[in-house]
Amino acid sequence: MIDLYYWTTPNGHKVTMFLEESGLPYTIHPINIGQGDQFKPEFLRIAPNNRIPAIVDQAPQDGGEPIALFESGAILQYLAEKTGQFLSSDLRVRTETFQWLYWQMGGLGPMAGQNHHFNVYAPVKIDYAIDRYVRETGRLYGVLNKHLEQRDFIAGDYSIADMASYPWIVSHERQNQNLDDFPHLKRWFQRIGERPATQRAYALVEQINPGSPVHDEKARQILFGQDSKTIR
Ligand SMILES: N[C@@H](CCC(=O)N[C@@H](CS)C(=O)NCC(=O)O)C(=O)O
């Protein structure tokens, strides 16, 4: 059984996409990041970075104590290795999968995240910041679009590399991106969106959090008022 500490955000969706695809049994523990659940001591013991997603695997393969894990890329890699699913055993495909997984973790995710921040959440609209992140997000979309020109999925068959990137493309409109400018990416995006497991993963939004994560001034303060004193 996997305990999943989750909220309805792109990084959260990566893990529900995997769990729904793989059929691994899991229990969701909602962490409402707009209300400050990420600072509860019991969550910080699992995820000291006060970010979702996190998991606890109650039945690790070595038969030992439960394993707690944060960082969505590490979680996807762990679950793929645990189940032998969505990660090729072929050296070259596996290596390529990790390459694009880390590309998402270090590039697409952080840049699109800042894009959301300055475009949607920032109380003051700073043209330079908006332009910078819209352009960089567009560049990254272009890179992925080109990569997908001759392929159905990012690395071999459908894999954790696809699951990492897809949720960040879902919010393309909020990032000021037009998928018609990226036809191969659009084809890939539609193909993944049609998967029943993707649809089950996204259906959890209505169940767990019908509203937006940043819905009021208090939530804004909790999410965007953090600094060096937040975690001591
Ligand atoms: N690199 C981390 C990023 C996780 C992350 O930024 N999570 C956001 C939601 S998508 C969060 O928990 N925010 C809570 C906060 O800012 O306090 C990962 O991929 O797991």
Side-chain angles (χ1 to χ4, degrees):
M1 171 65 74
I2 302 293
D3 285 310
L4 170 63
Y5 296 82
Y6 161 84
W7 197 239
T8 54
T9 70
N11 290 316
H13 297 315
K14 294 175 186 175
V15 184
T16 49
M17 284 174 74
F18 184 97
L19 290 166
E20 286 296 332
E21 287 283 350
S22 68
L24 261 183
Y26 69 103
T27 304
I28 287 184
H29 303 267
I31 300 294
N32 186 334
I33 60 173
Q35 286 181 9
D37 290 353
Q38 68 271 42
F39 301 113
K40 291 186 174 162
E42 59 272 27
F43 179 67
L44 288 175
R45 270 195 292 278
I46 297 164
N49 192 39
N50 68 270
R51 298 279 188 274
I52 65 94
I55 62 165
V56 176
D57 181 359
Q58 300 293 349
Q61 277 168 303
D62 64 2
E65 293 293 302
I67 291 179
L69 203 57
F70 65 95
E71 280 294 321
S72 59
I75 294 170
L76 287 175
Q77 182 172 345
Y78 176 83
L79 293 175
E81 286 176 339
K82 176 184 173 74
T83 59
Q85 294 184 66
F86 305 108
L87 178 61
S88 176
S89 54
D90 176 271
L91 172 69
R92 283 152 211 278
V93 181
R94 192 179 182 88
T95 304
E96 191 176 33
T97 307
F98 289 140
Q99 169 183 273
W100 285 97
L101 176 65
Y102 298 124
W103 173 86
Q104 189 287 317
M105 293 300 299
L108 181 62
M111 293 302 130
Q114 295 305 316
N115 182 327
H116 288 176
H117 183 82
F118 288 106
N119 242 324
V120 182
Y121 299 126
V124 180
K125 298 297 175 219
I126 306 164
D127 288 344
Y128 181 87
I130 293 172
D131 186 56
R132 157 76 184 146
Y133 288 111
V134 169
R135 279 171 183 274
E136 179 60 3
T137 309
R139 187 189 71 81
L140 292 160
Y141 274 49
V143 170
L144 191 50
N145 181 61
K146 185 151 194 263
H147 179 70
L148 288 166
E149 194 171 352
Q150 307 286 347
R151 331 158 166 252
D152 286 344
F153 296 111
I154 291 177
D157 295 333
Y158 185 53
S159 76
I160 54 174
D162 301 291
M163 294 176 201
S165 280
Y166 176 84
W168 286 96
I169 308 294
V170 168
S171 37
H172 55 271
E173 283 172 7
R174 290 212 298 176
Q175 300 161 18
N176 281 1
Q177 305 298 324
N178 181 355
L179 281 195
D180 290 335
D181 297 338
F182 308 98
H184 311 299
L185 181 64
K186 186 175 181 180
R187 189 170 39 80
W188 167 90
F189 178 72
Q190 287 169 338
R191 181 176 299 120
I192 296 176
E194 284 161 6
R195 295 177 77 90
T198 304
Q199 290 170 9
R200 287 196 300 276
Y202 276 80
L204 291 166
V205 175
E206 271 305 303
Q207 200 182 309
I208 308 261
N209 172 29
S212 153
V214 184
H215 50 271
D216 58 19
E217 196 42 47
K218 184 170 158 254
R220 195 183 288 274
Q221 189 50 38
I222 288 170
L223 287 165
F224 307 134
Q226 299 175 27
D227 62 16
S228 63
K229 297 187 196 64
T230 301
I231 302 291
R232 286 281 171 180

